[in-house]
Amino acid sequence: MRRPATANVAVCLGVLVLVDILRVWLPAIITIFGQAASTPAELMGAFALLWFLLPLAVPALLRRTGAGPVALTAVVVLAVARLALTATPGGQLQLYLASVGLLAGLVWLTATAHTTVRPVPGLVLGLALGTIAHTVLGTYDLVWRGGWAAWTVSVVLVGLLVAAQARTPTQPVRAADAEDSAGVADTWPAVVQARSWLLVGPTVLLSGMVALSPALAGATTSYLFGAPTRRLAESTGGWGLPEGTLIGLAVGLFVLTALSRPHRSTRWWGPLALVVGVLLFAIGWIPALAPAILLTAAGLGACLALAGATTGEPAPAGSVAARRRSYAAAGGMLVFVVAAIAYYAAYDLGYPNGWAPVAVAGLVAVQASRPAPGAARDTPSPALRRAASMAAGGRAGRLAAALTALTVLGAVQIPGDSDDPAPRSAADPIRLVAYNIRMGFGLDGRFDLAGLVDVVAGEKPDVVVLSEVDRAWLLNGGHDTLALLARRLDLPYVFAPAADPVWGDAVLTRIPVRHAETRALPAVGAPTGAQALAVTLDLDGRELVVVSTHLQPPPDEGPVVQARAVASFATGYAGCRPLVVAGDLNTEPGEPAFAEFIRADLVDALADARPLPTSPADAPHGQIDHVLVSGGITPRDAVAPRSTASDHLAVAVTLAIGGGC
């Protein structure tokens, strides 16, 4: 059976749109269904799992209806849902539109597997083009942007998808093929075809988490501008050449290895590179992130090439082989969601999670390297195999080089951050904003970059302290929220990781930063990690210390131990210099954890404005976001501007900097 070009185009565009849907659906599970962590993690997991279990019923349906009508109907629903998500105001409507779109995408994928033998070319190009677009957009997806340009591109994209699917021919099942006869169910090509479809879900997961994540590449590059030994990241001047080079190389390696014909003598290196790359990512060692990205990209592509390589003619699209492929596609996406839940639920439930992506990488490696039954049959001559390998490698190399260049150039074109910070006089008051931004998602569940910028910029801050900063989590859509905000606020940043290298706290300021240091806080049973980031600001020869932190209380207790650790670290680091401690402290004034800061001779800078509730944002009744200062600093004009761009309100205060101790 020949593979029509339209089938590859349909798979490519379908993967693009499905990943777009996933970038909305995954965070909606947390922000809308999860209701700001008030919904049990087990219930959220069951809800997520349900949508991936339903497509397992599709192969049986296809025996009666045929794959063509089901795939086309599913694509139309997928296209409508994708466009509707840009128009929806958020909330429950967004959650269920994304869920319907996700289900339609999974049904389309399962039906497509019924009629399409080799998914690898379309899958690889779809993920590569999606990565390029995500990079050029600075990780701020079209679905969240709105505006005529985003609508135009979205309409064209889904229109092309529907047209490609409508033109994709399907092969009817012959009566003879419907029997479970030997030679159809057990031929090597049939096994290989199912194996390729099984790896679609794991490939989407590993590419989104590691191999093809522009946000992870950007965060990794920003660490190179900081000091890896201090585990700090700093502004890189925008999405310039270094970040574009890293993600461009990853795209090029992925495409080159995936679309080249593998050599039997080197079939060991792809699985090994994949497992090693994901292991480096899982251990969270910052200097290893760049090689982790490149190794995972090359290894993942090589494994896809191994899993999808066939010799001789592929098996016909009979019912047994077709059902095998359909179940494999649905099962692979089930692996995607189970592994994603297992990995990210650890940040709510508190258990080691590095094994989840490593287990998925191991699955891919085993499937790619496992010899297929009957592999020796219908094998071309060595000369013919070498010629085919050279031809495939040449085409893949040219395509990989073009995609790499496109990624790099697209990244370079995005504007950078501000110029070098200007000195600031100690006599000038400083406006400080502290904000828990909930990874950029508002109460309506939409990625509300504009709302966050409005709140912060409206206070005309000199220093911004941010909590819950996400720089690459697939669960949150794969955005580099910090870089997006820093560019729009025109403020350089210093970032310190807490839970892992791409989730933590930040300080943004145009005041020159002379030194910075981060200190990990004791976990004491809290599932999510915590840290304290201290930066030294140069006020025209005098120094001000600002400490950004986000305390994580253990279950049913206050964050007393962490508060004591922050107070000790902050006062010790500052010495006699003026000191500000700010962030989401998860404690109310007067509670034991708050008292630890008062005991360290810090003053509540928001006391004169109380009551100043900050949580929850739509009906605030508790104040858990704070600014505390040393005795030589005089606070005034404290406010908590109303907004639903996060589940917290920001707090802002003007500080007159006096002498130290």
Side-chain angles (χ1 to χ4, degrees):
M1 182 179 66
R2 299 182 63 188
R3 182 181 69 252
T6 51
N8 284 337
V9 173
V11 171
C12 171
L13 297 176
V15 167
L16 264 173
V17 177
L18 179 57
V19 170
D20 260 5
I21 294 286
L22 281 170
R23 288 197 183 115
V24 178
W25 181 81
L26 285 169
I29 296 295
I30 304 300
T31 59
I32 301 175
F33 188 83
Q35 293 293 315
S38 63
T39 302
E42 298 82 358
L43 183 58
M44 289 191 290
F47 178 84
L49 194 60
L50 170 66
W51 300 98
F52 286 80
L53 288 172
L54 291 175
L56 291 173
V58 172
L61 173 66
L62 298 179
R63 297 184 67 181
R64 295 189 295 270
T65 63
V70 172
L72 183 58
T73 301
V75 155
V76 171
V77 175
L78 175 65
V80 171
R82 167 61 184 82
L83 293 178
L85 282 172
T86 300
T88 183
Q92 294 293 323
L93 178 60
Q94 174 183 302
L95 172 63
Y96 286 102
L97 271 175
S99 298
V100 169
L102 171 66
L103 180 59
L106 296 175
V107 169
W108 163 79
L109 192 70
T110 306
T112 298
H114 199 83
T115 58
T116 302
V117 173
R118 298 186 182 98
V120 171
L123 172 66
V124 168
L125 293 179
L127 291 175
L129 292 176
T131 301
I132 292 171
H134 204 43
T135 303
V136 171
L137 293 170
T139 74
Y140 186 23
D141 302 300
L142 291 175
V143 70
W144 303 119
R145 286 175 177 259
W148 69 268
W151 271 104
T152 300
V153 174
S154 299
V155 169
V156 170
L157 174 62
V158 299
L160 290 174
L161 170 60
V162 173
Q165 186 62 49
R167 290 173 57 86
T168 299
T170 59
Q171 181 174 351
V173 177
R174 301 189 304 271
D177 294 328
E179 300 176 1
D180 293 337
S181 57
V184 174
D186 297 325
T187 55
W188 175 50
V191 173
V192 172
Q193 294 159 22
R195 187 184 306 175
S196 301
W197 280 102
L198 177 65
L199 297 188
V200 170
T203 298
V204 172
L205 179 76
L206 295 177
S207 63
M209 288 182 67
V210 191
L212 303 180
S213 170
L216 180 63
T220 298
T221 303
S222 68
Y223 278 109
L224 302 178
F225 286 79
T229 57
R230 290 185 284 136
R231 301 180 71 242
L232 295 173
E234 298 178 9
S235 298
T236 63
W239 285 76
L241 184 60
E243 289 142 290
T245 301
L246 181 57
I247 195 61
L249 284 174
V251 170
L253 286 171
F254 177 67
V255 173
L256 177 62
T257 54
L259 299 186
S260 297
R261 184 179 295 273
H263 293 273
R264 186 173 300 176
S265 61
T266 58
R267 66 181 299 122
W268 58 269
W269 77 262
L272 178 62
L274 174 63
V275 172
V276 171
V278 176
L279 272 171
L280 292 176
F281 167 79
I283 63 177
W285 186 42
I286 288 170
L289 287 178
I293 292 170
L294 298 178
L295 282 171
T296 304
L300 188 58
C303 286
L304 287 176
L306 288 168
T310 61
T311 58
E313 288 298 317
S319 63
V320 175
R323 288 203 307 274
R324 187 194 291 265
R325 294 194 301 267
S326 293
Y327 280 119
M333 292 307 296
L334 194 59
V335 171
F336 167 90
V337 73
V338 170
I341 292 172
Y343 183 78
Y344 289 110
Y347 296 108
D348 285 326
L349 303 180
Y351 57 80
N353 62 356
W355 60 268
V358 174
V360 174
L363 169 67
V364 174
V366 168
Q367 289 296 321
S369 57
R370 181 166 62 94
R377 292 179 301 200
D378 299 324
T379 303
S381 67
L384 183 59
R385 191 165 58 247
R386 284 194 300 270
S389 178
M390 291 175 61
R395 291 192 299 270
R398 290 191 293 272
L399 180 58
L403 293 177
T404 299
L406 182 59
T407 308
V408 173
L409 292 175
V412 169
Q413 292 169 4
I414 296 177
D417 287 322
S418 59
D419 296 330
D420 292 337
R424 181 64 175 263
S425 171
D428 298 331
I430 289 176
R431 188 68 172 171
L432 181 141
V433 173
Y435 203 0
N436 180 325
I437 60 172
R438 194 169 78 150
M439 294 80 69
F441 288 87
L443 286 182
D444 58 4
R446 293 184 65 80
F447 188 64
D448 194 1
L449 201 61
L452 295 175
V453 170
D454 287 346
V455 170
V456 176
E459 295 300 321
K460 298 179 173 57
D462 302 294
V463 179
V464 180
V465 173
L466 299 180
S467 304
E468 291 195 14
V469 178
D470 168 35
R471 305 200 64 187
W473 275 11
L474 177 63
L475 181 70
N476 297 323
H479 309 111
D480 188 347
T481 311
L482 179 58
L484 287 166
L485 282 174
R487 284 196 294 269
R488 282 156 180 77
L489 293 170
D490 195 27
L491 292 174
Y493 64 79
V494 178
F495 172 80
D500 64 17
V502 291
W503 194 94
D505 311 289
V507 173
L508 292 79
T509 181
R510 268 184 293 273
I511 302 172
V513 175
R514 294 307 179 208
H515 185 263
E517 187 173 324
T518 180
R519 177 71 54 85
L521 302 182
V524 293
T528 305
Q531 67 81 52
L533 166 63
V535 299
T536 302
L537 305 182
D538 183 356
L539 302 178
D540 195 20
R542 293 184 56 193
E543 293 182 335
L544 169 68
V545 173
V546 175
V547 175
S548 170
T549 192
H550 179 197
L551 304 186
Q552 299 289 327
D556 304 319
E557 297 180 32
V560 177
V561 174
Q562 289 185 351
R564 187 179 302 128
V566 171
S568 174
F569 165 67
T571 54
Y573 178 90
C576 285
R577 296 173 294 183
L579 170 64
V580 179
V581 177
D584 176 3
L585 303 185
N586 271 310
T587 185
E588 297 267 7
E591 292 182 347
F594 191 85
E596 292 294 332
F597 294 101
I598 304 304
R599 189 173 294 114
D601 295 327
L602 295 176
V603 177
D604 183 359
L606 310 179
D608 291 343
R610 285 208 301 262
L612 197 67
T614 60
S615 177
D618 54 345
H621 55 77
Q623 184 185 352
I624 59 176
D625 302 272
H626 301 280
V627 178
L628 298 113
V629 298
S630 57
I633 298 176
T634 304
R636 60 179 171 84
D637 301 330
V639 295
R642 298 301 294 264
S643 171
T644 57
S646 170
D647 60 341
H648 288 239
L649 297 181
V651 291
V653 62
T654 298
L655 306 173
I657 311 301
C661 56

